[in-house]
Amino acid sequence: GAGVSQTPSNKVTEKGKYVELRCDPISGHTALYWYRQSLGQGPEFLIYFQGTGAADDSGLPNDRFFAVRPEGSVSTLKIQRTERGDSAVYLCASSPGQGYQETQYFGPGTRLLVL
Amino acid sequence: AQSVAQPEDQVNVAEGNPLTVKCTYSVSGNPYLFWYVQYPNRGLQFLLKYITGDNLVKGSYGFEAEFNKSQTSFHLKKPSALVSDSALYFCAVILGGSARQLTFGSGTQLTVLP
């Protein structure tokens, strides 16, 4: 596709359950980012991949959060033992991966609601 | 310490009037500054960025922004607002060094009144 895609668009789960959120970046983009946007706030950084490896995971809030990108394209954000405070919009972005000042292009997000 | 601030939660402007959405930053070294727009239930759309060079940056949909180093500001402007410009606007910065991620302001809701 032409842009970043994310699935599902909405996810409702119960407290304590496990969820996976998927991101498909722009073709050829080697850099991929995950952000979390809570209601009324700006997005907050979670993790950054360059290729298959997590180059910076300093934004992950705790060890319940984990992300993978095994083939350097699609990425999956995994949340274990979900809590109500995890409810937010999870945004994925990608960029060509050539330099640190390049533009990041965002997907439409996955809206997660933990009941 | 806050890296980027948007002092106004809400800006209202009449259609056809010029608009300004304010952003100030606080980073060491050379800042890399961005503006994004978010429409309801949609992701962030890139408008423009300042990396180096001319202080006046032109972007998408007729928007521009002026980088002012002495005032540490990067205000978003448009000469004539449209009702369709109504949206949530975010200023963001890359902190430099080894950082690659964007650090966002809290956002400004722009409403253009017909």
Side-chain angles (χ1 to χ4, degrees), chain A residues 25-26 28-34 45-58 67-75 92-104, chain B residues 94 98-101:
Chain A
I26 293 171
H29 281 191
T30 61
L32 184 145
Y33 309 77
W34 283 99
F45 169 73
L46 295 176
I47 187 169
Y48 153 61
F49 287 89
Q50 180 59 48
T52 60
D56 183 351
D57 64 358
S58 62
V68 296
R69 195 185 185 199
E71 298 179 355
S73 179
V74 170
S75 176
C92 177
S94 71
S95 67
Q98 303 302 313
Y100 50 84
Q101 74 275 35
E102 58 192 20
T103 300
Q104 296 178 28
Chain B
I94 292 178
S98 61
R100 296 291 184 269
Q101 68 270 27

Side-chain angles (χ1 to χ4, degrees), chain B residues 50-73:
Chain B
Y50 172 82
I51 303 300
T52 187
D54 289 342
N55 290 340
L56 184 63
V57 179
K58 293 188 182 297
S60 305
Y61 313 120
F63 284 93
E64 58 188 28
E66 185 171 9
F67 172 68
N68 188 317
K69 189 172 183 178
S70 63
Q71 296 185 6
T72 63
S73 67

Side-chain angles (χ1 to χ4, degrees), chain A residues 33 35 37 40-45 48 50 56 58 89 91 99-109 111, chain B residues 32 34 36 38 41-46 49 51 88 90 94 96-107:
Chain A
Y33 309 77
Y35 294 84
Q37 185 176 20
Q41 298 182 20
E44 295 179 321
F45 169 73
Y48 153 61
Q50 180 59 48
D56 183 351
S58 62
V89 176
L91 296 168
Y100 50 84
Q101 74 275 35
E102 58 192 20
T103 300
Q104 296 178 28
Y105 297 93
F106 284 79
R111 187 175 300 273
Chain B
Y32 302 111
F34 298 76
Y36 283 84
Q38 187 173 40
N41 300 316
R42 295 176 64 178
L44 295 162
Q45 296 181 26
F46 169 74
K49 66 181 179 184
I51 303 300
L88 186 57
F90 289 98
I94 292 178
S98 61
R100 296 291 184 269
Q101 68 270 27
L102 293 162
T103 298
F104 286 87
S106 55

